Coordinates of all heavy atoms in Angstrom, one line a residue:
M544 N 124.5 -54.8 73.2 CA 123.9 -53.5 72.8 C 124.2 -53.3 71.3 O 125.3 -53.5 70.8 CB 124.4 -52.4 73.6 CG 123.7 -51.1 73.4 SD 124.1 -50.0 74.7 CE 123.0 -48.7 74.4
S545 N 123.2 -53.0 70.5 CA 123.4 -52.8 69.1 C 123.9 -51.4 68.8 O 123.5 -50.4 69.5 CB 122.2 -53.1 68.3 OG 121.1 -52.2 68.7
S546 N 124.6 -51.2 67.7 CA 125.1 -49.9 67.3 C 123.9 -49.2 66.6 O 123.1 -49.9 66.0 CB 126.3 -50.0 66.4 OG 126.0 -50.8 65.3
P547 N 123.9 -47.9 66.6 CA 122.9 -47.2 65.9 C 123.0 -47.5 64.4 O 124.1 -47.6 63.9 CB 123.1 -45.7 66.2 CG 124.4 -45.7 66.8 CD 124.8 -47.0 67.3
R548 N 121.9 -47.6 63.8 CA 121.9 -47.9 62.3 C 122.2 -46.7 61.5 O 121.7 -45.6 61.9 CB 120.6 -48.5 61.9 CG 120.2 -49.8 62.6 CD 118.9 -50.3 62.0 NE 119.3 -51.4 61.2 CZ 118.4 -52.1 60.4 NH1 117.2 -51.7 60.4 NH2 118.8 -53.1 59.7
R549 N 123.0 -46.8 60.6 CA 123.3 -45.7 59.7 C 122.2 -45.7 58.6 O 121.8 -46.8 58.1 CB 124.6 -45.8 59.0 CG 125.7 -45.6 60.0 CD 127.0 -45.5 59.2 NE 128.1 -45.5 60.1 CZ 129.4 -45.9 59.8 NH1 129.6 -46.2 58.6 NH2 130.3 -45.8 60.7
A550 N 121.8 -44.6 58.2 CA 120.9 -44.5 57.1 C 121.6 -45.0 55.8 O 122.7 -44.5 55.5 CB 120.4 -43.0 56.9
Q551 N 121.0 -45.9 55.1 CA 121.5 -46.4 53.9 C 121.1 -45.5 52.8 O 119.9 -45.0 52.7 CB 121.0 -47.8 53.6 CG 121.4 -48.8 54.6 CD 122.9 -49.0 54.5 OE1 123.5 -49.1 53.5 NE2 123.5 -49.1 55.7
P552 N 122.0 -45.2 51.8 CA 121.6 -44.3 50.7 C 120.5 -45.1 49.9 O 120.6 -46.3 49.7 CB 122.9 -44.1 49.9 CG 123.8 -45.2 50.4 CD 123.4 -45.6 51.8
E553 N 119.6 -44.3 49.3 CA 118.6 -44.9 48.5 C 119.3 -45.4 47.2 O 120.2 -44.7 46.7 CB 117.6 -43.9 48.1 CG 116.7 -43.4 49.2 CD 115.7 -44.5 49.6 OE1 115.2 -45.2 48.7 OE2 115.4 -44.7 50.8
P554 N 118.9 -46.6 46.7 CA 119.5 -47.0 45.5 C 119.0 -46.1 44.3 O 117.9 -45.6 44.4 CB 118.9 -48.5 45.3 CG 117.8 -48.6 46.2 CD 118.0 -47.6 47.3
A555 N 119.9 -45.9 43.4 CA 119.6 -45.0 42.3 C 118.5 -45.6 41.5 O 118.5 -46.8 41.2 CB 120.8 -44.8 41.5
A556 N 117.5 -44.8 41.2 CA 116.5 -45.3 40.3 C 117.1 -45.6 38.9 O 118.0 -44.9 38.5 CB 115.4 -44.2 40.2
P557 N 116.6 -46.7 38.3 CA 117.1 -47.0 36.9 C 116.8 -45.8 36.0 O 115.7 -45.2 36.0 CB 116.4 -48.2 36.5 CG 115.4 -48.5 37.6 CD 115.6 -47.6 38.7
A558 N 117.8 -45.4 35.3 CA 117.7 -44.3 34.3 C 116.7 -44.7 33.2 O 116.7 -45.9 32.8 CB 119.0 -44.0 33.7
A559 N 115.9 -43.8 32.8 CA 115.0 -44.1 31.7 C 115.8 -44.3 30.5 O 116.8 -43.6 30.2 CB 114.0 -42.9 31.6
L560 N 115.3 -45.2 29.7 CA 116.0 -45.5 28.4 C 115.7 -44.4 27.4 O 114.6 -43.9 27.4 CB 115.6 -46.8 27.8 CG 116.0 -48.0 28.6 CD1 115.4 -49.3 28.0 CD2 117.5 -48.1 28.7
P561 N 116.7 -44.0 26.6 CA 116.3 -43.0 25.6 C 115.4 -43.6 24.5 O 115.4 -44.9 24.4 CB 117.7 -42.7 24.9 CG 118.6 -43.9 25.3 CD 118.0 -44.4 26.6
E562 N 114.6 -42.8 23.9 CA 113.7 -43.3 22.9 C 114.4 -43.6 21.6 O 115.2 -42.7 21.2 CB 112.5 -42.4 22.7 CG 111.6 -42.3 23.9 CD 110.3 -41.7 23.5 OE1 109.9 -41.8 22.4 OE2 109.6 -41.2 24.4
V563 N 114.2 -44.7 21.0 CA 114.8 -45.1 19.7 C 113.6 -45.5 18.8 O 112.8 -46.3 19.2 CB 115.8 -46.2 19.9 CG1 116.3 -46.7 18.5 CG2 117.0 -45.8 20.8
H564 N 113.6 -44.9 17.7 CA 112.5 -45.2 16.7 C 113.2 -45.6 15.4 O 113.9 -44.8 14.8 CB 111.6 -44.1 16.5 CG 110.8 -43.7 17.8 ND1 109.8 -44.5 18.3 CD2 111.0 -42.7 18.6 CE1 109.4 -43.9 19.4 NE2 110.1 -42.8 19.6
L565 N 113.1 -46.8 15.0 CA 113.6 -47.3 13.7 C 112.6 -47.3 12.7 O 111.4 -47.5 12.9 CB 114.1 -48.7 13.9 CG 115.2 -48.9 15.0 CD1 115.5 -50.4 15.2 CD2 116.5 -48.3 14.5
D566 N 113.0 -47.0 11.4 CA 112.1 -47.1 10.3 C 112.4 -48.4 9.5 O 113.4 -48.5 8.8 CB 112.4 -45.9 9.4 CG 111.5 -45.8 8.2 OD1 110.7 -46.8 8.0 OD2 111.6 -44.9 7.4
W567 N 111.5 -49.3 9.7 CA 111.7 -50.6 9.1 C 110.6 -50.9 8.0 O 110.2 -52.0 7.8 CB 111.6 -51.7 10.2 CG 112.9 -51.9 10.9 CD1 113.9 -51.1 11.0 CD2 113.2 -53.0 11.8 NE1 114.9 -51.5 11.8 CE2 114.5 -52.7 12.3 CE3 112.6 -54.2 12.1 CZ2 115.2 -53.6 13.1 CZ3 113.2 -55.0 13.0 CH2 114.5 -54.8 13.5
R568 N 110.2 -49.8 7.3 CA 109.2 -50.0 6.3 C 109.7 -50.5 5.0 O 108.9 -51.0 4.2 CB 108.5 -48.6 6.1 CG 107.6 -48.1 7.2 CD 107.0 -46.8 7.0 NE 108.1 -45.8 7.1 CZ 107.9 -44.5 7.0 NH1 106.7 -44.0 6.7 NH2 108.9 -43.6 7.1
G569 N 111.0 -50.5 4.8 CA 111.6 -51.0 3.6 C 111.5 -52.6 3.5 O 111.4 -53.3 4.5
P570 N 111.5 -53.1 2.3 CA 111.4 -54.5 2.1 C 112.5 -55.3 2.6 O 112.4 -56.5 2.9 CB 111.3 -54.6 0.5 CG 111.9 -53.4 0.0 CD 111.7 -52.3 1.0
Q571 N 113.7 -54.7 2.8 CA 114.8 -55.4 3.4 C 114.6 -55.9 4.8 O 115.3 -56.7 5.4 CB 116.1 -54.6 3.3 CG 116.1 -53.4 4.2 CD 115.5 -52.1 3.7 OE1 114.7 -52.2 2.8 NE2 115.9 -51.0 4.2
H572 N 113.5 -55.3 5.5 CA 113.3 -55.6 6.9 C 112.2 -56.7 7.0 O 111.7 -57.0 8.1 CB 112.9 -54.4 7.6 CG 114.0 -53.5 7.8 ND1 115.1 -53.7 8.7 CD2 114.3 -52.3 7.3 CE1 116.0 -52.7 8.6 NE2 115.5 -51.8 7.8
W573 N 111.8 -57.3 5.8 CA 110.8 -58.3 5.8 C 111.3 -59.6 5.2 O 112.0 -59.5 4.2 CB 109.5 -57.8 5.1 CG 108.8 -56.7 5.9 CD1 109.1 -55.4 5.7 CD2 107.8 -56.8 6.9 NE1 108.3 -54.6 6.6 CE2 107.5 -55.5 7.3 CE3 107.2 -57.9 7.4 CZ2 106.6 -55.3 8.3 CZ3 106.2 -57.6 8.4 CH2 106.0 -56.3 8.8
S574 N 110.8 -60.7 5.7 CA 111.2 -62.0 5.1 C 109.9 -62.8 4.9 O 108.9 -62.6 5.7 CB 112.2 -62.7 5.9 OG 112.4 -64.0 5.4
D575 N 109.9 -63.8 4.0 CA 108.8 -64.7 3.9 C 108.8 -65.8 5.0 O 107.8 -66.4 5.2 CB 108.9 -65.4 2.5 CG 108.6 -64.5 1.4 OD1 108.0 -63.4 1.6 OD2 109.0 -64.8 0.2
R576 N 110.0 -65.9 5.6 CA 110.2 -67.0 6.6 C 110.3 -66.3 8.0 O 111.1 -65.5 8.2 CB 111.4 -67.8 6.3 CG 111.3 -68.6 5.1 CD 112.6 -69.4 4.9 NE 112.7 -70.3 6.0 CZ 113.9 -70.9 6.4 NH1 115.0 -70.7 5.6 NH2 114.0 -71.7 7.4
A577 N 109.4 -66.8 8.9 CA 109.5 -66.4 10.3 C 110.6 -67.1 11.0 O 110.7 -68.4 10.8 CB 108.2 -66.6 11.0
R578 N 111.4 -66.4 11.7 CA 112.5 -67.1 12.4 C 112.6 -66.4 13.8 O 112.0 -65.4 14.1 CB 113.8 -66.9 11.7 CG 113.8 -67.5 10.3 CD 115.1 -67.5 9.6 NE 115.9 -68.5 10.3 CZ 117.2 -68.6 10.0 NH1 117.7 -68.0 9.0 NH2 118.0 -69.4 10.7
E579 N 113.3 -67.1 14.7 CA 113.4 -66.6 16.1 C 114.1 -65.3 16.2 O 115.2 -65.1 15.7 CB 114.1 -67.6 17.0 CG 113.3 -68.9 17.2 CD 114.0 -69.9 18.1 OE1 115.1 -69.6 18.6 OE2 113.4 -71.0 18.3
C580 N 113.5 -64.3 16.9 CA 114.1 -63.0 17.1 C 115.4 -63.2 17.9 O 115.5 -64.0 18.9 CB 113.1 -62.2 18.0 SG 113.8 -60.6 18.6
R581 N 116.4 -62.5 17.5 CA 117.7 -62.6 18.1 C 117.7 -62.1 19.6 O 118.6 -62.3 20.3 CB 118.8 -61.9 17.3 CG 118.5 -60.4 17.2 CD 119.4 -59.7 16.3 NE 120.8 -59.6 16.7 CZ 121.8 -58.9 16.2 NH1 121.5 -58.1 15.1 NH2 123.0 -58.9 16.7
H582 N 116.7 -61.3 19.9 CA 116.6 -60.7 21.3 C 115.7 -61.5 22.2 O 116.1 -61.7 23.4 CB 116.1 -59.3 21.2 CG 117.0 -58.4 20.3 ND1 118.3 -58.0 20.7 CD2 116.8 -58.0 19.0 CE1 118.8 -57.3 19.7 NE2 117.9 -57.2 18.7
C583 N 114.5 -61.9 21.7 CA 113.6 -62.5 22.6 C 113.2 -64.0 22.3 O 112.6 -64.7 23.1 CB 112.3 -61.7 22.7 SG 111.3 -61.8 21.2
G584 N 113.6 -64.4 21.1 CA 113.4 -65.8 20.8 C 112.0 -66.2 20.2 O 111.8 -67.3 19.8
V585 N 111.1 -65.2 20.2 CA 109.8 -65.4 19.5 C 109.9 -65.2 18.0 O 110.7 -64.3 17.6 CB 108.8 -64.4 20.2 CG1 107.4 -64.6 19.5 CG2 108.7 -64.6 21.7
T586 N 109.2 -66.0 17.3 CA 109.4 -65.9 15.8 C 108.8 -64.6 15.3 O 107.9 -64.0 15.8 CB 108.7 -67.1 15.1 OG1 107.3 -67.1 15.5 CG2 109.3 -68.4 15.5
T587 N 109.5 -64.2 14.2 CA 109.1 -62.9 13.5 C 109.6 -63.0 12.1 O 110.6 -63.6 11.7 CB 109.8 -61.7 14.2 OG1 109.4 -60.5 13.5 CG2 111.3 -61.8 14.3
P588 N 108.8 -62.3 11.2 CA 109.2 -62.2 9.8 C 110.2 -61.0 9.6 O 110.7 -60.8 8.5 CB 107.9 -62.0 9.0 CG 107.0 -61.3 10.0 CD 107.4 -61.8 11.4
L589 N 110.4 -60.2 10.6 CA 111.2 -59.0 10.5 C 112.6 -59.3 10.6 O 113.1 -60.2 11.2 CB 110.8 -58.0 11.6 CG 109.4 -57.4 11.6 CD1 109.1 -56.6 12.8 CD2 109.2 -56.6 10.3
R590 N 113.4 -58.4 9.9 CA 114.9 -58.5 9.9 C 115.5 -57.2 10.3 O 115.0 -56.1 9.8 CB 115.4 -59.0 8.5 CG 114.8 -60.3 8.0 CD 115.4 -61.4 8.9 NE 114.9 -62.7 8.4 CZ 113.9 -63.4 8.9 NH1 113.2 -62.9 9.9 NH2 113.6 -64.6 8.4
D591 N 116.6 -57.2 11.0 CA 117.3 -56.0 11.4 C 118.2 -55.5 10.2 O 118.2 -56.1 9.1 CB 118.0 -56.1 12.7 CG 119.2 -57.1 12.6 OD1 119.6 -57.5 11.5 OD2 119.6 -57.5 13.7
D592 N 118.9 -54.5 10.5 CA 119.8 -53.9 9.4 C 120.9 -54.9 9.0 O 121.4 -54.8 7.9 CB 120.5 -52.6 9.9 CG 119.5 -51.5 10.0 OD1 118.5 -51.5 9.2 OD2 119.8 -50.5 10.7
E593 N 121.2 -55.9 9.8 CA 122.2 -56.9 9.5 C 121.5 -58.2 8.8 O 122.2 -59.1 8.5 CB 122.9 -57.4 10.7 CG 123.7 -56.2 11.3 CD 124.3 -56.6 12.7 OE1 124.1 -57.7 13.1 OE2 125.0 -55.7 13.3
G594 N 120.2 -58.1 8.6 CA 119.5 -59.2 8.1 C 119.2 -60.3 9.0 O 118.7 -61.4 8.7
K595 N 119.4 -60.0 10.3 CA 119.1 -61.0 11.4 C 117.7 -60.9 11.9 O 117.2 -59.8 12.0 CB 120.1 -60.9 12.5 CG 121.5 -61.2 12.1 CD 122.5 -61.1 13.2 CE 123.9 -61.4 12.7 NZ 124.9 -61.1 13.7
P596 N 117.0 -62.0 12.2 CA 115.6 -61.9 12.7 C 115.5 -61.1 14.0 O 116.3 -61.3 14.9 CB 115.2 -63.4 13.0 CG 116.3 -64.2 12.3 CD 117.5 -63.4 12.2
A597 N 114.6 -60.2 14.0 CA 114.5 -59.3 15.2 C 113.1 -58.6 15.1 O 112.7 -58.1 14.0 CB 115.6 -58.3 15.3
H598 N 112.4 -58.5 16.2 CA 111.3 -57.6 16.3 C 111.8 -56.2 16.3 O 112.8 -55.9 16.9 CB 110.5 -57.9 17.5 CG 109.8 -59.2 17.6 ND1 110.2 -60.2 18.5 CD2 108.8 -59.7 16.9 CE1 109.5 -61.3 18.3 NE2 108.6 -61.0 17.3
K599 N 111.0 -55.3 15.7 CA 111.4 -53.9 15.7 C 111.5 -53.3 17.1 O 112.4 -52.7 17.5 CB 110.4 -53.1 14.9 CG 110.7 -51.6 14.8 CD 109.7 -50.9 13.8 CE 109.8 -49.5 13.8 NZ 109.3 -48.8 15.0
V600 N 110.5 -53.7 17.9 CA 110.5 -53.2 19.3 C 111.7 -53.7 20.1 O 112.3 -53.0 20.9 CB 109.1 -53.4 20.0 CG1 108.9 -54.9 20.2 CG2 109.0 -52.7 21.3
C601 N 112.0 -55.0 19.8 CA 113.2 -55.6 20.5 C 114.5 -54.9 20.1 O 115.3 -54.6 20.9 CB 113.3 -57.1 20.2 SG 112.0 -58.0 21.0
A602 N 114.6 -54.6 18.8 CA 115.8 -53.9 18.3 C 115.9 -52.5 18.9 O 117.0 -52.0 19.3 CB 115.8 -53.8 16.8
E603 N 114.7 -51.8 19.0 CA 114.7 -50.5 19.5 C 115.1 -50.5 21.0 O 115.9 -49.6 21.5 CB 113.3 -49.8 19.4 CG 113.0 -49.5 17.9 CD 111.6 -49.1 17.7 OE1 110.7 -49.4 18.5 OE2 111.3 -48.4 16.6
R604 N 114.6 -51.4 21.7 CA 115.0 -51.5 23.2 C 116.5 -51.8 23.3 O 117.1 -51.3 24.2 CB 114.2 -52.6 23.9 CG 112.8 -52.3 24.1 CD 112.0 -53.4 24.8 NE 110.6 -53.1 24.9 CZ 109.7 -54.0 24.9 NH1 110.0 -55.3 24.9 NH2 108.4 -53.6 25.0
A605 N 117.0 -52.7 22.5 CA 118.4 -53.1 22.6 C 119.3 -51.8 22.2 O 120.3 -51.6 22.9 CB 118.8 -54.2 21.6
L606 N 118.9 -51.1 21.2 CA 119.7 -49.9 20.9 C 119.6 -48.8 22.0 O 120.6 -48.2 22.3 CB 119.2 -49.3 19.6 CG 119.6 -50.0 18.3 CD1 118.9 -49.5 17.1 CD2 121.1 -49.9 18.1
A607 N 118.4 -48.7 22.6 CA 118.2 -47.7 23.7 C 119.1 -48.1 24.9 O 119.8 -47.3 25.5 CB 116.8 -47.7 24.1
A608 N 119.2 -49.4 25.2 CA 120.0 -49.9 26.3 C 121.5 -49.7 26.0 O 122.2 -49.3 26.9 CB 119.7 -51.4 26.6
Q609 N 121.9 -49.9 24.8 CA 123.3 -49.6 24.4 C 123.6 -48.1 24.5 O 124.6 -47.8 25.1 CB 123.5 -50.0 22.9 CG 123.7 -51.5 22.7 CD 123.9 -51.8 21.2 OE1 123.7 -51.0 20.4 NE2 124.4 -53.0 21.0
Q610 N 122.7 -47.3 24.1 CA 122.9 -45.8 24.2 C 123.0 -45.4 25.7 O 123.9 -44.6 26.1 CB 121.8 -45.1 23.5 CG 121.9 -45.1 22.0 CD 120.7 -44.4 21.4 OE1 120.0 -43.7 22.0 NE2 120.7 -44.4 20.0
A611 N 122.1 -46.0 26.5 CA 122.1 -45.6 27.9 C 123.4 -46.1 28.6 O 124.0 -45.4 29.4 CB 120.9 -46.2 28.6
D612 N 123.9 -47.3 28.3 CA 125.1 -47.8 28.8 C 126.3 -47.0 28.4 O 127.2 -46.7 29.2 CB 125.3 -49.3 28.4 CG 124.4 -50.3 29.2 OD1 123.8 -49.8 30.2 OD2 124.4 -51.4 28.8
L613 N 126.3 -46.6 27.1 CA 127.4 -45.7 26.7 C 127.4 -44.4 27.4 O 128.5 -43.9 27.8 CB 127.3 -45.5 25.2 CG 127.7 -46.7 24.3 CD1 127.4 -46.5 22.8 CD2 129.2 -47.1 24.5
A614 N 126.2 -43.8 27.6 CA 126.1 -42.6 28.3 C 126.6 -42.7 29.8 O 127.3 -41.9 30.3 CB 124.7 -42.1 28.3
D615 N 126.2 -43.9 30.4 CA 126.7 -44.1 31.8 C 128.3 -44.2 31.8 O 128.9 -43.6 32.7 CB 126.2 -45.5 32.3 CG 124.7 -45.4 32.6 OD1 124.1 -44.3 32.7 OD2 124.1 -46.5 32.8
R616 N 128.8 -44.9 30.9 CA 130.3 -45.0 30.8 C 131.0 -43.7 30.6 O 132.0 -43.4 31.1 CB 130.7 -46.0 29.8 CG 130.3 -47.5 30.1 CD 131.0 -48.5 29.2 NE 130.6 -49.8 29.7 CZ 129.9 -50.7 29.0 NH1 129.5 -50.4 27.8 NH2 129.6 -51.8 29.5
Y617 N 130.4 -42.9 29.7 CA 130.9 -41.6 29.4 C 130.9 -40.7 30.7 O 131.9 -40.0 30.9 CB 130.1 -40.9 28.3 CG 130.6 -39.6 27.9 CD1 131.7 -39.5 27.1 CD2 130.0 -38.4 28.4 CE1 132.2 -38.2 26.7 CE2 130.5 -37.2 28.0 CZ 131.6 -37.1 27.2 OH 132.1 -35.9 26.8
R618 N 129.9 -40.9 31.5 CA 129.8 -40.1 32.7 C 130.7 -40.7 33.8 O 130.8 -40.2 34.9 CB 128.4 -40.0 33.2 CG 127.5 -39.1 32.4 CD 126.2 -38.9 33.0 NE 125.5 -40.1 33.3 CZ 124.5 -40.6 32.6 NH1 124.1 -40.0 31.5 NH2 123.9 -41.8 33.0
G619 N 131.3 -41.9 33.6 CA 132.1 -42.6 34.6 C 131.3 -43.4 35.6 O 131.9 -43.9 36.5
A620 N 130.0 -43.6 35.3 CA 129.2 -44.4 36.2 C 129.2 -45.9 35.6 O 129.3 -46.1 34.4 CB 127.8 -43.9 36.2
A621 N 129.0 -46.8 36.6 CA 128.8 -48.2 36.1 C 127.5 -48.3 35.4 O 126.5 -47.7 35.8 CB 128.8 -49.1 37.3
P622 N 127.4 -49.1 34.3 CA 126.2 -49.2 33.6 C 125.1 -49.8 34.5 O 125.4 -50.7 35.3 CB 126.5 -50.2 32.5 CG 128.0 -50.1 32.3 CD 128.5 -49.8 33.7
A623 N 123.9 -49.2 34.5 CA 122.8 -49.7 35.3 C 122.3 -51.0 34.7 O 122.3 -51.2 33.5 CB 121.7 -48.6 35.4
A624 N 121.8 -51.8 35.6 CA 121.1 -53.0 35.1 C 119.7 -52.6 34.5 O 119.0 -51.9 35.2 CB 120.9 -54.0 36.2
R625 N 119.5 -52.9 33.3 CA 118.3 -52.6 32.6 C 117.6 -53.8 32.1 O 118.2 -54.7 31.6 CB 118.5 -51.6 31.5 CG 119.1 -50.3 32.0 CD 119.2 -49.3 30.8 NE 119.7 -48.0 31.3 CZ 121.0 -47.7 31.5 NH1 121.9 -48.6 31.2 NH2 121.3 -46.5 32.0
A626 N 116.3 -53.8 32.2 CA 115.5 -54.9 31.6 C 115.7 -54.9 30.1 O 115.7 -53.8 29.4 CB 114.1 -54.7 31.9
Q627 N 115.9 -56.0 29.5 CA 116.1 -56.1 28.1 C 114.8 -56.5 27.4 O 114.7 -56.5 26.2 CB 117.1 -57.2 27.8 CG 118.5 -56.9 28.3 CD 119.1 -55.8 27.5 OE1 119.1 -55.7 26.3 NE2 119.7 -54.8 28.2
R628 N 113.8 -56.8 28.1 CA 112.5 -57.2 27.4 C 111.4 -56.3 27.9 O 111.4 -55.7 28.9 CB 112.2 -58.7 27.8 CG 113.2 -59.6 27.2 CD 112.8 -61.0 27.4 NE 113.9 -61.8 26.9 CZ 113.9 -63.1 26.7 NH1 112.8 -63.8 27.1 NH2 114.9 -63.8 26.3
Ligands
ZN1116 ZN1 111.9 -60.0 19.9

């Protein structure tokens, strides 16, 4: 005879990422040479604040994920798995 099943708690929905908008209109964010984005690997002429190749949208997503993880840690929760791409 099987035991009655307990109701399993619903997994927490992934928290929405905060919106991050970078201003990369300056010439320091552009290069004549396309190189692989540090986040996704697709080539881009864009450079981040450290001069490393990165798409603006990839950098914005990475910063948003960092902010969300920090907020989770501040609240004492384990950082949620978030899509990076
Ligand atoms: Zn990218």
